[in-house]
Amino acid sequence: MAELTFSLQGTDKNTKARAGMVVTDHGTIPTPIFMPVGTVGSVKAVNQQQLEELVRARIILGNTYHLYLRPGTAILEAAGGLHQFMNWQRPLLTDSGGYQVFSLAANRKISEEGVVFQSHIDGSRHLFTPESVMGIQRSIGADIIMAFDECPPWPSEYAYTKTSMELTHRWVKRCMEYLAENPALYGYTQNLFPIVQGGTFADLRKASSEYVASLGAVGNAIGGLSVGEPEEMMYEYTGLCCNILPADKPRYLMGVGTPWNLLECISLGVDMFDCVMPTRNGRNGMLFTTQGVINIRNKKWADDFNAIDSGLPTEQQLPYTKAYLRHLFVADELLALELASLQNLIFYLWLVSQAREKIVSGEFAGWKQEMVPVLKQRL
């Protein structure tokens, strides 16, 4: 058992971009990295072997709220934790469930103690506290676990955002105290990341970043962005947080985003990302490729017999044409969902690995400037 470590392999001289290495008990994670979202212990439409071999994922996510409701902690503990349950032996991260409680659950009531909420599955009532959420994450057994926080919606009033941030700060102390008193279950280290909040108010973001930095955690997360605010605002507050959070610890921007969001935020100093976008949008026929964005349902692809994405390395290209994938979508074939999800995830992991190479070689700034308009274009 060893605490998570982070080392820098390179920095870009023209931006704040960094290439690093996160080391956990389940393996190393080169950064910048994108983490596919496996909310209930499954990345939708993609199996674990594909994630390892085709996507080349180094770490994936599970979600505390969803896994607590189904299959429940008793099953996960009997299985030996989520790694064993889903047969994934690389690193795992679990989100605390705070965002889901505030976005999915009905009739929630927030207090100093925690949050009472109704399950979106059957309406049953539950209480999440910082302590219970840490206990659930102990049962799940991820390598990186998130502090329980409140993620206020955007836009929110200043007074509400400040009160919410202060509550999140008090909760993280309770998370840390619980973990100090309750050892990990499965013989490897679980590493807590506190979360910066503060909405889109510069003084609150600054205060929260300084508070989180003072906790001395092995890594830190930036929450409460990409919740509806304009992109430029997201970049502004991401940059503000990165300038304060310690440079010798990984920085995780939660729930972001498009391929161009990733490149812009890498240039601000972010190391880790997650988002449902590649799989969710893929299932709806939107492909992210090295040439730009494709709506594969469009008739223009009906007789396009070129590879889905010829710009990817040959060994990672899916051996199917755009015409065939469009046919699968039009015919409502399940394989369409799998192939589109795979394409998007392969592309996302390729993109961050390219960013890493460019940072190390000193070419990142120029490469990013060329790539962003290409990635944004609709084909």
Side-chain angles (χ1 to χ4, degrees):
M1 287 177 68
E3 198 172 61
L4 179 150
T5 62
F6 178 68
S7 57
L8 284 175
Q9 262 77 52
T11 53
D12 179 59
K13 61 182 182 294
N14 297 308
T15 69
K16 304 277 180 69
R18 327 103 66 79
M21 191 69 77
V22 173
V23 180
T24 75
D25 287 338
H26 277 97
T28 60
I29 307 156
T31 63
I33 195 69
F34 180 82
M35 304 180 282
V37 176
T39 304
V40 298
S42 162
V43 176
K44 282 187 171 53
V46 179
N47 69 47
Q48 283 74 305
Q49 189 177 358
Q50 291 169 322
L51 285 170
E52 284 197 24
E53 295 174 5
L54 271 174
V55 174
R56 301 181 180 175
R58 303 302 288 263
I59 174 172
I60 61 175
L61 266 69
N63 182 266
T64 298
Y65 167 89
H66 290 280
L67 290 165
Y68 160 77
L69 292 175
R70 277 192 305 219
T73 53
I75 295 290
L76 289 166
E77 286 189 27
L82 184 59
H83 285 95
Q84 300 306 317
F85 187 55
M86 67 180 292
N87 191 23
W88 175 261
Q89 299 312 321
R90 292 181 181 181
L92 279 168
L93 180 150
T94 39
D95 184 357
S96 72
Y99 180 78
Q100 284 70 32
V101 165
F102 303 114
S103 63
L104 290 180
N107 299 330
R108 62 187 182 274
K109 190 170 191 305
I110 305 167
S111 67
E112 190 67 37
E113 183 186 11
V115 185
V116 175
F117 64 93
Q118 275 187 283
S119 161
H120 72 289
I121 298 169
D122 60 8
S124 55
R125 293 177 73 77
H126 304 269
L127 169 67
F128 269 7
T129 66
E131 295 80 8
S132 72
V133 164
M134 292 302 101
I136 294 161
Q137 291 190 83
R138 282 284 196 228
S139 297
I140 297 168
D143 301 271
I144 299 172
I145 63 178
M146 306 309 295
F148 189 50
D149 65 325
E150 186 195 351
C151 180
W154 185 85
S156 288
E157 296 291 329
Y158 181 90
Y160 180 85
T161 306
K162 185 171 189 286
T163 302
S164 168
M165 178 195 76
E166 289 166 349
L167 181 64
T168 288
H169 291 176
R170 292 192 296 275
W171 281 357
V172 72
K173 294 295 277 190
R174 287 166 56 187
C175 291
M176 294 170 81
E177 287 162 9
Y178 179 93
L179 293 174
E181 294 165 10
N182 294 272
L185 295 181
Y186 307 113
Y188 52 85
T189 305
Q190 291 187 286
N191 303 276
L192 180 71
F193 281 23
I195 303 172
V196 175
Q197 289 291 351
T200 49
F201 299 100
D203 61 326
L204 298 184
R205 279 283 166 186
K206 181 172 182 287
S208 191
S209 298
E210 288 169 350
Y211 178 77
V212 163
S214 76
L215 296 173
V218 294
N220 300 296
I222 301 167
L225 293 174
S226 193
V227 290
E229 78 284 357
E231 278 187 350
E232 290 308 316
M233 196 177 267
M234 176 178 73
Y235 299 146
E236 177 188 348
Y237 290 103
T238 297
L240 187 158
C241 295
C242 286
N243 288 340
I244 297 169
L245 293 173
D248 61 345
K249 308 284 176 64
R251 304 177 186 130
Y252 162 33
L253 179 58
M254 305 177 75
V256 174
T258 63
W260 50 96
N261 290 161
L262 266 58
L263 295 191
E264 296 291 1
C265 292
I266 287 169
S267 76
L268 298 170
V270 174
D271 307 295
M272 303 169 70
F273 301 87
D274 80 286
C275 192
V276 297
M277 186 171 277
T279 44
R280 179 179 290 168
N281 290 31
R283 294 194 306 276
N284 288 307
M286 180 185 278
L287 305 185
F288 297 105
T289 77
T290 54
Q291 286 90 47
V293 182
I294 290 174
N295 178 353
I296 198 66
R297 292 178 181 273
N298 283 352
K299 191 155 186 358
K300 66 187 289 187
W301 309 115
D303 60 353
D304 188 323
F305 302 111
N306 295 302
I308 294 168
D309 189 355
S310 57
L312 289 170
T314 308
E315 66 275 12
Q316 283 187 283
Q317 288 180 30
L318 297 174
Y320 306 102
T321 65
K322 295 185 186 77
Y324 179 63
L325 183 51
R326 178 186 184 272
H327 159 70
L328 294 177
F329 268 102
V330 171
D332 275 336
E333 280 295 320
L334 291 176
L335 184 58
L337 312 184
E338 179 182 324
L339 294 181
S341 300
L342 273 173
Q343 161 60 32
N344 286 351
L345 288 173
I346 289 167
F347 169 72
Y348 266 61
L349 270 292
W350 170 84
L351 186 67
V352 292
S353 72
Q354 285 290 293
R356 179 183 168 81
E357 281 183 25
K358 299 298 181 184
I359 294 165
V360 171
S361 68
E363 303 166 284
F364 176 78
W367 173 79
K368 176 186 87 79
Q369 207 168 350
E370 288 174 16
M371 283 297 289
V372 167
V374 172
L375 298 178
K376 282 184 168 181
Q377 66 187 355
R378 299 286 175 134
L379 300 176

